[in-house]
Amino acid sequence: MGFVFRSRAKEEKAPADAVVTDSKQPRDPQAKKGRPTPKRSEAQSQRRSVANTSMSRKDAAKRQRDERRAQMDRQRQALAGGDERYLPARDKGPVRKFARDFIDARFNVAEFFLPMAVVILVLSVVRVGSLQTIALLLWLVVIVLIVLDSLVTGFRLRKRLAERFEGQNRRGAVAYALMRSLQMRRLRLPKPQVKRGAQL
């Protein structure tokens, strides 16, 4: 009956002791442990890469800012010199270039709108009935002249574009040119590349 009431702790203790005695034996330094031990240089480079991961986002943002700034500088120079490679998308292409040259080669009534508007505003401020009447008439004349000149310019430009760029995308070129005609010549961007009166 002794084997029935015998403690199991003693039976289970033997294998555990055997395992413990095995674990107390010194491990062979040449024995593999399931993964290669990294070299010191590799461990240091891994630590540096982990340490630099927090800076990578800042570096990326700084790099993007620098690239954006360089691109803006290139666009500014292109707008001043007419370099097609770095112009904004709305100004690129032979159709847009021809539309710009067509406007820059002629006098447009609309380009004198701002100076005339200043004169008319000054005349309308003066509290003299005759001058205010003249200012109102000048305002009406200027508006009519600008509308007529824009219609004629748009018709001629559309015809020239159809002859010169048949089969190419000309959408928006006339509106682009008319918006350019509203600006004073010295303020236009890209800068005019042709002289007034030039034959295109």
Side-chain angles (χ1 to χ4, degrees), residues 107-178:
F107 283 95
N108 304 280
V109 178
E111 68 182 284
F112 303 106
F113 172 75
L114 286 178
M116 288 187 293
V118 172
V119 173
I120 293 171
L121 182 62
V122 171
L123 290 177
S124 63
V125 169
V126 177
R127 295 185 176 276
V128 177
S130 59
L131 290 180
Q132 290 182 346
T133 304
I134 292 173
L136 180 60
L137 290 175
L138 281 176
W139 185 255
L140 293 175
V141 169
V142 167
I143 295 298
V144 170
L145 287 176
I146 288 176
V147 170
L148 291 177
D149 186 59
S150 298
L151 289 174
V152 173
T153 302
F155 176 78
R156 289 179 178 174
L157 178 58
R158 187 175 286 106
K159 185 179 179 181
R160 293 292 303 277
L161 288 173
E163 294 172 355
R164 190 156 183 165
F165 301 99
E166 185 178 0
Q168 297 188 32
N169 184 14
R170 305 184 299 272
R171 184 177 180 181
V174 175
Y176 171 78
L178 293 179

Side-chain angles (χ1 to χ4, degrees), residues 6 8 20 29 32 44 51 56 82-84 86 90 93-94 100 104 111 120 126 130 145 147-148 173 175 178 181 185:
R6 187 170 53 190
R8 288 187 181 178
V20 171
K32 296 184 178 180
Q44 289 177 350
S56 62
D83 191 348
E84 283 280 334
Y86 303 115
R90 65 181 177 84
R100 289 196 303 270
D104 296 336
E111 68 182 284
I120 293 171
V126 177
S130 59
L145 287 176
V147 170
L148 291 177
L178 293 179
S181 69
R185 182 182 172 88

Side-chain angles (χ1 to χ4, degrees), residues 54-106:
S54 60
M55 297 296 292
S56 62
R57 186 174 297 174
K58 293 182 180 178
D59 293 341
K62 184 177 183 297
R63 192 178 303 113
Q64 286 181 350
R65 284 197 302 271
D66 294 340
E67 290 176 357
R68 196 180 304 116
R69 191 176 297 114
Q71 184 179 2
M72 293 297 293
D73 291 340
R74 285 195 298 266
Q75 282 189 1
R76 196 176 301 111
Q77 293 174 2
L79 289 172
D83 191 348
E84 283 280 334
R85 294 174 299 171
Y86 303 115
L87 286 176
R90 65 181 177 84
D91 298 312
K92 280 186 177 180
V95 175
R96 295 298 173 98
K97 185 179 187 309
F98 182 83
R100 289 196 303 270
D101 293 343
F102 186 86
I103 294 298
D104 296 336
R106 62 192 300 274

